Coordinates of all heavy atoms in Angstrom, one line a residue:
R12 N 106.2 -45.9 35.8 CA 105.2 -45.7 36.8 C 104.0 -46.7 36.7 O 103.5 -47.2 37.6 CB 104.6 -44.3 36.9 CG 103.5 -44.1 37.9 CD 103.3 -42.6 38.1 NE 104.3 -41.9 38.9 CZ 104.3 -41.8 40.2 NH1 103.3 -42.3 40.9 NH2 105.3 -41.2 40.8
R13 N 103.7 -47.1 35.4 CA 102.6 -48.0 35.2 C 102.9 -49.4 35.8 O 102.0 -50.1 36.1 CB 102.3 -48.2 33.6 CG 101.7 -46.9 33.1 CD 101.0 -47.1 31.8 NE 101.3 -48.2 31.0 CZ 100.6 -48.6 29.9 NH1 99.5 -47.9 29.7 NH2 100.9 -49.6 29.2
G14 N 104.1 -49.7 35.9 CA 104.5 -51.0 36.5 C 104.6 -51.0 38.0 O 104.6 -52.1 38.6
R15 N 104.6 -49.9 38.6 CA 104.8 -49.8 40.1 C 103.6 -50.3 40.8 O 103.7 -50.7 42.0 CB 105.1 -48.4 40.5 CG 106.5 -48.0 40.0 CD 106.9 -46.6 40.4 NE 108.2 -46.3 39.9 CZ 108.7 -45.1 39.9 NH1 108.0 -44.1 40.4 NH2 109.9 -44.8 39.4
A16 N 102.4 -50.2 40.3 CA 101.2 -50.7 41.1 C 101.3 -52.2 41.3 O 101.0 -52.7 42.4 CB 99.9 -50.4 40.3
Q17 N 101.8 -53.0 40.2 CA 102.0 -54.4 40.4 C 103.1 -54.6 41.4 O 103.0 -55.5 42.2 CB 102.4 -55.0 39.0 CG 102.7 -56.5 39.1 CD 101.6 -57.4 38.8 OE1 100.5 -56.9 38.6 NE2 101.8 -58.6 38.8
A18 N 104.2 -53.9 41.3 CA 105.3 -54.0 42.2 C 104.9 -53.8 43.7 O 105.3 -54.4 44.6 CB 106.5 -53.1 41.8
D19 N 104.1 -52.7 43.9 CA 103.6 -52.4 45.2 C 102.7 -53.5 45.8 O 102.9 -53.9 47.0 CB 102.7 -51.1 45.2 CG 103.6 -49.9 45.0 OD1 104.9 -50.0 45.1 OD2 103.1 -48.8 44.5
S20 N 101.9 -54.1 45.0 CA 101.0 -55.2 45.5 C 101.9 -56.5 45.8 O 101.7 -57.2 46.7 CB 100.0 -55.6 44.4 OG 100.6 -56.1 43.3
L21 N 102.9 -56.6 45.0 CA 103.8 -57.8 45.3 C 104.7 -57.5 46.5 O 104.9 -58.4 47.3 CB 104.8 -58.0 44.1 CG 104.2 -58.5 42.8 CD1 105.2 -58.4 41.7 CD2 103.7 -59.9 42.9
R22 N 105.0 -56.3 46.7 CA 105.8 -55.9 47.9 C 105.0 -56.1 49.2 O 105.5 -56.6 50.3 CB 106.3 -54.5 47.8 CG 107.4 -54.1 48.9 CD 107.9 -52.7 48.7 NE 108.8 -52.7 47.5 CZ 108.6 -52.2 46.3 NH1 107.4 -51.6 46.1 NH2 109.5 -52.2 45.4
R23 N 103.6 -55.9 49.1 CA 102.7 -56.1 50.2 C 102.6 -57.6 50.6 O 102.4 -57.9 51.7 CB 101.4 -55.5 50.0 CG 101.4 -54.0 50.1 CD 99.9 -53.5 50.1 NE 99.2 -53.7 48.8 CZ 99.2 -52.9 47.8 NH1 99.8 -51.8 47.8 NH2 98.5 -53.2 46.7
A24 N 102.8 -58.4 49.5 CA 102.7 -59.9 49.7 C 103.9 -60.4 50.5 O 103.9 -61.5 51.0 CB 102.5 -60.6 48.3
R25 N 105.0 -59.7 50.5 CA 106.2 -60.1 51.1 C 106.1 -59.8 52.6 O 106.1 -58.6 53.0 CB 107.4 -59.4 50.5 CG 108.7 -60.1 50.8 CD 109.8 -59.3 49.9 NE 109.7 -57.9 50.0 CZ 110.5 -57.1 49.3 NH1 111.4 -57.6 48.4 NH2 110.3 -55.8 49.4
Q26 N 105.9 -60.8 53.4 CA 105.7 -60.6 54.8 C 106.9 -61.2 55.6 O 107.5 -62.2 55.3 CB 104.4 -61.3 55.2 CG 103.2 -60.8 54.5 CD 101.9 -61.5 55.0 OE1 101.9 -61.9 56.2 NE2 101.0 -61.6 54.1
D27 N 107.1 -60.6 56.7 CA 108.0 -61.1 57.8 C 107.3 -62.2 58.5 O 106.3 -61.9 59.2 CB 108.6 -60.0 58.6 CG 109.4 -59.0 57.9 OD1 110.0 -59.4 56.9 OD2 109.4 -57.8 58.3
T28 N 107.8 -63.4 58.5 CA 107.1 -64.5 59.1 C 108.1 -65.3 60.0 O 109.3 -65.2 59.8 CB 106.5 -65.4 58.1 OG1 107.5 -65.9 57.2 CG2 105.5 -64.8 57.2
V29 N 107.4 -66.1 60.8 CA 108.2 -67.0 61.6 C 108.1 -68.4 61.1 O 107.0 -68.8 60.8 CB 107.8 -67.0 63.1 CG1 108.5 -68.0 64.0 CG2 108.0 -65.6 63.7
A30 N 109.2 -69.1 60.9 CA 109.1 -70.4 60.2 C 109.3 -71.5 61.3 O 110.2 -71.3 62.1 CB 110.2 -70.4 59.1
R31 N 108.5 -72.5 61.2 CA 108.6 -73.7 62.0 C 109.4 -74.8 61.2 O 108.9 -75.3 60.3 CB 107.3 -74.2 62.4 CG 106.5 -73.3 63.5 CD 105.3 -74.0 64.0 NE 104.3 -74.1 63.0 CZ 103.7 -75.3 62.7 NH1 104.1 -76.4 63.2 NH2 102.8 -75.4 61.7
L32 N 110.6 -75.0 61.7 CA 111.4 -76.0 61.0 C 110.9 -77.4 61.3 O 110.2 -77.6 62.3 CB 112.9 -75.9 61.4 CG 113.6 -74.6 61.0 CD1 115.1 -74.6 61.5 CD2 113.6 -74.4 59.6
A33 N 111.2 -78.4 60.5 CA 110.8 -79.7 60.6 C 111.3 -80.3 61.9 O 110.7 -81.3 62.5 CB 111.2 -80.6 59.4
D34 N 112.4 -79.9 62.4 CA 113.0 -80.5 63.6 C 112.4 -79.8 64.9 O 112.9 -80.1 66.0 CB 114.5 -80.3 63.7 CG 115.0 -78.9 63.6 OD1 114.1 -78.0 63.7 OD2 116.2 -78.6 63.3
G35 N 111.4 -78.9 64.7 CA 110.7 -78.3 65.9 C 111.1 -76.9 66.3 O 110.5 -76.2 67.0
R36 N 112.3 -76.5 65.7 CA 112.8 -75.2 66.1 C 112.0 -74.1 65.3 O 111.4 -74.4 64.2 CB 114.3 -75.0 65.7 CG 115.2 -75.9 66.6 CD 116.6 -75.7 66.2 NE 116.9 -76.1 64.8 CZ 117.5 -75.4 63.9 NH1 117.9 -74.2 64.1 NH2 117.7 -75.9 62.7
T37 N 111.9 -72.9 65.8 CA 111.3 -71.7 65.1 C 112.4 -70.6 64.9 O 113.2 -70.4 65.7 CB 110.2 -71.1 65.9 OG1 110.6 -70.6 67.2 CG2 109.1 -72.1 66.1
V38 N 112.4 -70.1 63.6 CA 113.4 -69.1 63.2 C 112.7 -68.1 62.4 O 111.6 -68.3 61.8 CB 114.5 -69.8 62.4 CG1 115.3 -70.8 63.2 CG2 114.0 -70.4 61.1
P39 N 113.2 -66.8 62.4 CA 112.6 -65.9 61.5 C 112.7 -66.3 60.0 O 113.6 -67.0 59.6 CB 113.5 -64.6 61.7 CG 114.2 -64.9 63.0 CD 114.4 -66.3 63.1
G40 N 111.7 -65.9 59.3 CA 111.7 -66.3 57.8 C 112.9 -65.8 57.1 O 113.4 -66.3 56.1
T41 N 113.5 -64.7 57.5 CA 114.7 -64.0 56.9 C 115.9 -64.9 57.2 O 117.0 -64.6 56.5 CB 114.9 -62.6 57.4 OG1 114.9 -62.6 58.8 CG2 113.7 -61.7 56.9
A42 N 115.9 -65.8 58.1 CA 117.0 -66.6 58.5 C 117.1 -68.0 57.7 O 118.0 -68.7 58.0 CB 117.1 -66.8 60.0
L43 N 116.1 -68.2 56.9 CA 116.0 -69.5 56.3 C 117.1 -69.7 55.2 O 117.5 -68.7 54.6 CB 114.6 -69.7 55.6 CG 113.4 -69.9 56.5 CD1 112.1 -69.9 55.7 CD2 113.5 -71.2 57.3
E44 N 117.7 -70.9 55.1 CA 118.7 -71.2 54.1 C 118.1 -72.2 53.1 O 117.2 -72.9 53.4 CB 119.9 -71.8 54.8 CG 120.6 -70.8 55.7 CD 121.3 -69.6 55.0 OE1 121.6 -69.9 53.8 OE2 121.5 -68.5 55.6

């Protein structure tokens, strides 16, 4: 349990984002390769 506080803060840092590719397209961050 003592390690879960750090894990929770890291989990909050993980965000669902939209990525702008260099060629101009936008894709969900989860679709990046």
Side-chain angles (χ1 to χ4, degrees):
R12 180 167 283 269
R13 289 199 341 165
R15 288 182 183 167
Q17 176 94 0
D19 290 342
S20 66
L21 293 173
R22 194 174 282 109
R23 287 192 295 271
R25 195 171 49 184
Q26 302 182 30
D27 294 329
T28 58
V29 175
R31 289 188 293 124
L32 297 177
D34 60 10
R36 293 180 296 130
T37 58
V38 298
T41 54
L43 291 173
E44 296 291 335

